[in-house]
Amino acid sequence: MSASPRGARAAILMLLAMPAALLVPGCRVPDSGRHENVPPPVTTPATGHAKPSGRRPGVVNIETEQPLDGTRAAGTGIVLTAAGFVLTNNHVIRGATTIRGTDTDNRRTYPAEVVGYDRAGDIAVIRLTGASGLKAASFASVAGAGVGDPVTAVGNAGGRGGTPAVVTGEVTALEQSITARDDSTGTSERLTGLIETNAPIKPGDSGGPLLNTAGKVIGINTAASAGLPTKGTKEAKYHRGYAIPSNRALEIARRIQRGEASSTVHIGPTAMLGVKVRPNGRSPGALVAEIVPGTPAEAAGIPVGAAIIAFGDSVVDSPSTLTTLMLSHHPGDTVRVEWTIPQGTRMATTLRLTEGPPQ
């Protein structure tokens, strides 16, 4: 969960799912080199005499298991409905085959299933199986927030479970953009329009609420940045956390609850081919780095070292393209897959996709 970015004002940006033991959480750092996308903090006194709100109902501790990678992770969720619909970050549940959520108000633990997710927006909705009568969180528009406003961040900091941790700070900036890399997958993404705060949110807080002074959710805690000392410099004394505005998160969550799939929103179980891929150098395609045992890819005889160049009726020019095409399908779909082997031979087969973890 560390990196060595270049530059005197380097910063670590990490998604705040929490590894447990040897568990990989989707911890993210910025791409090395330029860091203009992480502006310095804005220091503005708090306005009026408002005080942070403290903890409010509707917080869920989330634990996941990811056996394909031999990992587990922990994060946080926010109760949307009494029937157990819970909002969280997509990176909290990505890769999970088992998800459990503990409602911190009634202290009951429930198995959970993924309702849907938006990879680009880093938002997911899960449902706690068998839950009823839960206390839902209250939301407010971020439009009412301003720089200097006191805020409270609540979450499963450190992945310890139990009573959520509560930390306070101020809004230090609005409409912020960051580029973050996931250490567990090597992928990166651009997140925009974020709330920035100096509240010391930590790994495990991902998906938890950022509250205004009325105790209403104005943001979903997603990433954090802390200055790294470089040779001849002192460690930065500021902390920056980032939250997705509640307006945007709720818009995506409602779309998921309505079952409205799109180019970025996937609804229901996720289809799996059974390959782990990486870029194919300067050539097009997704290079197969590993075959997952017992999957359609193994049954079809797709070998390690092959380059997948077509999926269904579409050309595959990169690993990200293959992932996007996969997300338009569901378990049980039949698709044609085409690949080349290192000797140059072109091969193809038609196979039936199985169920896999969310992406």
Side-chain angles (χ1 to χ4, degrees):
M1 285 175 33
S2 63
S4 299
R6 296 186 294 272
R9 189 176 281 175
I12 291 179
L13 295 186
M14 54 186 177
L15 292 186
L16 298 167
M18 176 66 194
L22 298 175
L23 320 180
V24 178
C27 200
R28 295 192 181 184
V29 298
D31 294 332
S32 60
R34 294 186 174 184
H35 300 283
E36 293 90 341
N37 57 319
V38 185
V42 177
T43 54
T44 305
T47 57
H49 300 285
K51 295 182 180 180
S53 64
R55 184 192 168 203
R56 287 295 184 272
V59 178
V60 173
N61 293 332
I62 297 174
E63 295 180 341
T64 70
E65 295 180 7
Q66 304 160 3
L68 292 180
D69 296 321
T71 62
R72 293 183 295 120
T76 310
I78 304 170
V79 177
L80 293 173
T81 71
F85 283 91
V86 173
L87 171 67
T88 188
N89 285 133
N90 180 58
H91 73 263
V92 169
I93 54 92
R94 180 184 298 141
T97 56
T98 302
I99 305 172
R100 291 179 297 275
T102 300
D103 181 80
T104 60
D105 296 307
N106 67 17
R107 300 190 180 277
R108 288 187 58 185
T109 298
Y110 306 87
E113 62 181 12
V114 177
V115 179
Y117 53 90
D118 183 338
R119 295 177 71 246
D122 198 14
I123 291 295
V125 175
I126 63 175
R127 186 171 188 178
L128 306 183
T129 304
S132 63
L134 303 188
K135 297 177 181 178
S138 296
F139 290 79
S141 171
V142 73
V147 173
D149 287 355
V151 288
T152 300
V154 183
N156 187 14
R160 294 186 298 270
T163 302
V166 176
V167 293
T168 60
E170 301 173 0
V171 173
T172 52
L174 297 167
E175 293 294 332
Q176 296 299 287
S177 299
I178 61 173
T179 299
R181 188 179 74 246
D182 189 328
D183 268 354
S184 64
T185 64
T187 59
S188 63
E189 68 183 8
R190 183 80 167 170
L191 298 174
T192 62
L194 304 180
I195 305 167
E196 182 184 282
T197 176
N198 58 11
I201 55 180
K202 299 178 180 180
D205 285 332
S206 263
L210 185 70
L211 306 172
N212 63 13
T213 54
K216 295 187 176 182
V217 181
I218 60 169
I220 289 77
N221 300 321
T222 298
S225 169
L228 280 180
T230 56
K231 189 174 182 180
T233 67
K234 294 182 179 180
E235 184 174 357
K237 297 185 181 302
Y238 55 82
H239 179 99
R240 285 172 286 172
Y242 296 91
I244 299 171
S246 58
N247 312 54
R248 186 195 312 166
L250 285 175
E251 179 184 356
I252 296 171
R254 288 166 181 154
R255 195 178 308 155
I256 292 171
Q257 286 178 275
R258 292 193 298 264
E260 297 176 2
S262 70
S263 59
T264 62
V265 173
H266 180 84
I267 303 297
T270 301
M272 182 170 71
L273 174 61
V275 295
K276 295 185 179 181
V277 295
R278 58 183 175 84
N280 191 26
R282 297 183 178 181
S283 300
L287 188 65
V288 177
E290 184 179 339
I291 299 292
V292 179
T295 61
E298 183 185 53
I302 301 176
V304 171
I308 296 175
I309 57 174
F311 187 85
D313 297 326
S314 302
V315 172
V316 174
D317 56 10
S318 68
S320 61
T321 298
L322 179 59
T323 298
T324 299
L325 293 171
M326 284 288 300
L327 289 176
S328 67
H329 289 272
H330 288 87
D333 288 355
T334 298
V335 295
R336 184 177 184 274
V337 180
E338 188 172 348
W339 68 92
T340 60
I341 59 175
Q343 293 79 8
T345 305
R346 199 176 182 116
M347 307 181 72
T349 190
T350 298
L351 49 75
R352 187 180 297 274
L353 301 173
T354 189
E355 183 172 346
Q359 297 299 307

